[in-house]
Amino acid sequence: MLLTRAVALLACICMGVSLSGCRDLLWPPIQIGDSPHETLSPPDKPLVPTSYEQARIEDARLFADKGDYESALIAFREIIAENPYLPEAHLGIGDIQVAQGKFAEAEPAFARAAELDPESFRAHYGQARSLDAMGRTIDALRSFHRALTLNPESSDAYLSMATAYLVLGQPEAAVSFAERAVSLAPKNGAARVNLGAAYERTGRCGDAALQYEMAMELIPPTPHLYINLIRAYSAEKRHQEATNAALQLTKVSRTSNSFERLGWAMFRSGDFAGSLEAYREAVRIDSTYWPAWNGIGVNAMNRWLVSNKQDSSAANEAREAFRRSMQINPDQPKVLRLMTSYSL
């Protein structure tokens, strides 16, 4: 009889307590719906994936390799939901978002990987590249420096450092990093273009031209590379070589800008007839390209001055060309002064 009353009393007590209250009486407390890792403190050292986790990471990478970024991201996020402390999973997300051009989303993924594994070159370099792409160049430099302390043999990191310093307008600082990138990867055409740009901006135009020439042997020449070479040759007064490079430029890029460059190079080499024709071709391609109208004006004015100001047709051509240029771009004080000085 006493036992029966005790059982009834216990039942009454439990009925008087809410379900959540009963759960709170249990030990240890139940974490309904939580990952078992969420209640753990971050590990003291980077976690190495278990064989099961590594297999899932490899599966996610296969999706990424096939270009199925959405499936890859889902797979990596599922891994992180189960174990948020795996650096490799965060790196996987960062790599995919870089491949998609989503640098603002990639940066925190790499930052988290760097927190979990401070000795990870990939994490710091990935974060640096993302910051750089976002325009946060100074922040990127800090991460690039950290990456290089972890892997001082990375030519890509040195190349990125040099580029960042060029963006900041510090070519002197860029030179040493660009030289190191080339020494580590002498057949990297992009590294040689980068070094050429650093040399050119520090006044070493002969060295710059050499680097641009070597780059052309390593990578398909681009219009930008030809323009760099034309500028370096011209600075060295190698006018015929500049003209030859400009002729090649017009073959790979038939634009107003290309023919304007050719006209400029020919004028400096003394081929005034060729220069005028190149400028005229530039405005035939695009009649609003005002630098070419200036080139026509300068050529015509030169003919007028050589004739001791007797060639009125040359004066008229110069006047008309400069006026066309000013109509398109009125903010040209030098052209205005030139027209005023010579009463054109």
Side-chain angles (χ1 to χ4, degrees):
M1 189 68 172
L2 183 60
L3 179 60
T4 302
R5 290 179 179 175
V7 171
L9 179 61
L10 179 59
C12 289
I13 291 172
C14 283
M15 288 177 66
V17 180
S18 68
L19 176 60
S20 60
C22 283
R23 190 184 70 174
D24 290 341
L25 294 175
L26 298 176
W27 188 263
I30 297 174
Q31 305 284 336
I32 296 177
D34 292 342
S35 163
H37 290 279
E38 289 180 1
T39 59
L40 300 176
S41 298
D44 294 331
K45 60 182 180 179
L47 286 185
V48 176
T50 65
S51 57
Y52 170 69
E53 289 169 335
Q54 186 60 45
R56 296 183 65 190
I57 288 170
E58 294 300 329
D59 288 342
R61 286 176 178 162
L62 284 175
F63 283 127
D65 291 343
K66 294 175 182 177
D68 187 356
Y69 296 131
E70 190 59 34
S71 295
L73 284 172
I74 290 171
F76 277 123
R77 284 168 178 155
E78 287 176 349
I79 295 167
I80 289 172
E82 295 180 12
N83 186 349
Y85 303 123
L86 282 176
E88 197 66 29
H90 293 281
L91 286 172
I93 287 180
D95 289 338
I96 291 168
Q97 289 170 332
V98 164
Q100 294 179 305
K102 298 178 179 179
F103 299 102
E105 297 176 30
E107 191 274 330
F110 287 122
R112 180 58 172 154
E115 288 176 5
L116 295 170
D117 185 0
E119 301 302 308
S120 170
F121 168 80
R122 281 181 60 203
H124 290 286
Y125 184 59
Q127 185 181 17
R129 288 181 61 206
S130 301
L131 290 167
D132 198 27
M134 293 162 61
R136 294 171 56 185
T137 310
I138 294 176
D139 292 332
L141 279 172
R142 296 190 187 100
S143 291
F144 280 133
H145 273 292
R146 176 59 179 156
L148 279 173
T149 63
L150 297 169
N151 182 6
E153 299 302 309
S154 171
S155 61
D156 288 339
Y158 281 106
L159 174 58
S160 297
M161 286 283 288
T163 302
Y165 277 118
L166 287 173
V167 168
L168 290 175
Q170 300 179 33
E172 295 83 3
V175 167
S176 61
F177 291 101
E179 288 176 336
R180 182 62 174 153
V182 167
S183 69
L184 289 168
K187 294 188 177 181
N188 185 328
R192 290 197 176 275
V193 172
N194 193 282
L195 178 56
Y199 282 153
E200 185 181 347
R201 294 185 195 182
T202 53
R204 297 170 59 180
C205 293
D207 292 332
L210 178 60
Q211 292 301 320
Y212 295 146
E213 290 167 350
M214 296 178 73
M216 284 189 166
E217 298 176 2
L218 298 168
I219 57 176
T222 64
H224 181 72
L225 181 51
Y226 275 118
I227 289 170
N228 285 0
L229 192 56
I230 293 164
R231 195 169 52 240
Y233 282 149
S234 296
E236 289 287 294
K237 301 188 182 339
R238 295 160 63 178
H239 300 307
Q240 189 55 55
E241 290 170 282
T243 297
N244 293 341
L247 284 167
Q248 292 301 314
L249 170 64
T250 61
K251 292 178 182 179
V252 301
S253 175
R254 191 174 179 79
T255 65
S256 295
N257 180 56
S258 297
F259 280 94
E260 190 270 333
R261 296 280 176 168
L262 176 60
W264 180 74
M266 285 181 159
F267 185 87
R268 298 197 69 180
S269 69
D271 183 357
F272 303 121
S275 173
L276 181 59
E277 181 53 35
Y279 283 126
R280 285 174 173 167
E281 182 62 23
V283 297
R284 279 194 286 267
I285 294 171
D286 180 0
S287 62
T288 67
Y289 194 68
W290 56 268
W293 284 115
N294 287 340
I296 292 172
V298 168
N299 269 286
M301 191 177 76
N302 187 59
R303 272 201 332 275
W304 177 56
L305 293 174
V306 168
S307 73
N308 199 24
K309 300 184 179 181
Q310 298 302 305
D311 188 342
S312 59
S313 65
N316 289 334
E317 184 178 17
R319 184 181 301 109
E320 178 61 23
F322 287 139
R323 285 179 177 175
R324 290 287 297 271
S325 175
M326 291 294 292
Q327 287 172 354
I328 299 165
N329 178 18
D331 187 20
Q332 298 186 75
K334 290 183 179 180
V335 173
L336 185 59
R337 283 198 300 271
L338 191 65
M339 293 177 70
T340 303
S341 298
Y342 289 93
S343 301
L344 291 172

